[in-house]
Amino acid sequence: SVHLVDIWNMIEAFRDNGLNSVDHSAELNVEGHGKLTVFSVKAMLATMCGGKILDKLRYIFSQISDSNGLLVFPKFEQFLREVLKLPTAVFEGPSFGYTEHSLRTCFPQQRKVMLNMFLDTLMADPPPQCLVWLPLMHRLAHVENVFHPVECSYCHCESMMGFRYRCQQCHNYQLCQNCFWRGHASGPHSNQHQMKEHSSW
Ligand SMILES: [Zn+2]
Ligand SMILES: [Zn+2]
């Protein structure tokens, strides 16, 4: 999607400009994006970039914790505020935007949140409601350039990219991610059949 490309280009530009030495609240002018704080850019960078989700969450925690290794809630809230702009921009549904409840849905009780609890919470299955899109987005970015040399059984495209879905009931019935996400089905196959997701060939 266009938004992903935009952010990638942005990240590259910031990396070239020595972003790491700048204060978090400093503002940057980004062409086509208006003003963004350094923190905002870092939050997005860490959320969107490739790599292991665990590594990314560790990096994020290092940006929003204090010297005792405890989560700083106002910083986490700021992080949520920033990254929850992403699903709003990338997906059409408004259901994941930031609200004042977002923070509480992640850590309803804990006063002291250390790295392990932070990781456990964000990687829980299911994750907190406001962050359910995070693992999906991460997996999406990860498989974006995976090519499957097989024809989609519905649209018959021969350049299947991203996820591939194989029906567990029909013999050799496979869908590209676009057809699967749209609920397409043909022949004896039904979109109620169980499908297995493949992220590699
Ligand atoms: Zn297809
Ligand atoms: Zn089927």
Side-chain angles (χ1 to χ4, degrees):
S1 94
V2 178
H3 297 283
L4 290 169
V5 176
D6 261 0
I7 285 165
W8 274 109
N9 288 340
M10 207 161 77
I11 289 168
E12 206 131 295
F14 287 130
R15 212 180 275 148
D16 293 346
N17 290 311
L19 183 69
N20 285 339
S21 54
V22 189
D23 187 79
H24 270 177
S25 57
E27 285 192 330
L28 301 156
N29 269 311
V30 185
E31 210 174 317
H33 292 271
K35 276 191 173 162
L36 289 170
T37 63
V38 168
F39 182 80
S40 163
V41 172
K42 276 188 165 182
M44 292 200 188
L45 183 155
T47 309
M48 302 296 291
C49 66
K52 292 183 188 147
I53 194 162
L54 205 59
D55 293 342
K56 302 203 304 190
L57 291 175
R58 277 207 185 96
Y59 171 76
I60 290 166
F61 189 80
S62 76
Q63 299 294 305
I64 57 177
S65 54
D66 64 17
S67 53
N68 295 318
L70 291 175
L71 184 66
V72 180
F73 281 101
K75 281 198 168 185
F76 180 60
E77 188 152 30
Q78 202 188 344
F79 167 75
L80 283 180
R81 224 179 261 273
E82 296 302 339
V83 297
L84 292 181
K85 290 174 190 165
L86 288 171
T88 315
V90 176
F91 304 123
E92 281 159 23
S95 40
F96 301 112
Y98 175 83
T99 75
E100 56 190 35
H101 304 296
S102 301
L103 179 66
R104 257 178 292 152
T105 63
C106 295
F107 300 105
Q109 280 149 15
Q110 297 93 341
R111 292 209 189 125
K112 293 186 172 182
V113 175
M114 302 187 77
L115 176 63
N116 282 346
M117 190 182 285
F118 180 77
L119 295 178
D120 286 349
T121 303
L122 269 66
M123 295 187 67
D125 189 16
Q129 169 62 27
C130 65
L131 291 172
V132 286
W133 53 273
L134 182 66
L136 174 68
M137 184 184 281
H138 179 262
R139 279 157 57 232
L140 273 177
H142 187 70
V143 301
E144 204 176 21
N145 296 313
V146 174
F147 174 72
H148 308 268
V150 61
E151 189 182 292
C152 171
S153 303
Y154 183 86
C155 71
H156 304 291
C157 70
E158 283 169 19
S159 54
M160 210 191 272
M161 301 288 288
F163 289 113
R164 169 171 55 97
Y165 295 86
R166 178 183 265 276
C167 182
Q168 301 298 285
Q169 286 173 242
C170 305
H171 176 68
N172 208 15
Y173 193 90
Q174 302 186 68
L175 292 177
C176 69
Q177 62 180 29
N178 287 336
C179 289
F180 174 75
W181 291 343
R182 286 173 175 79
H184 289 326
S186 54
H189 176 69
S190 143
N191 62 15
Q192 301 302 308
H193 289 175
Q194 204 175 357
M195 304 289 276
K196 193 169 178 201
E197 184 183 272
H198 296 271
S199 55
S200 61
W201 172 246

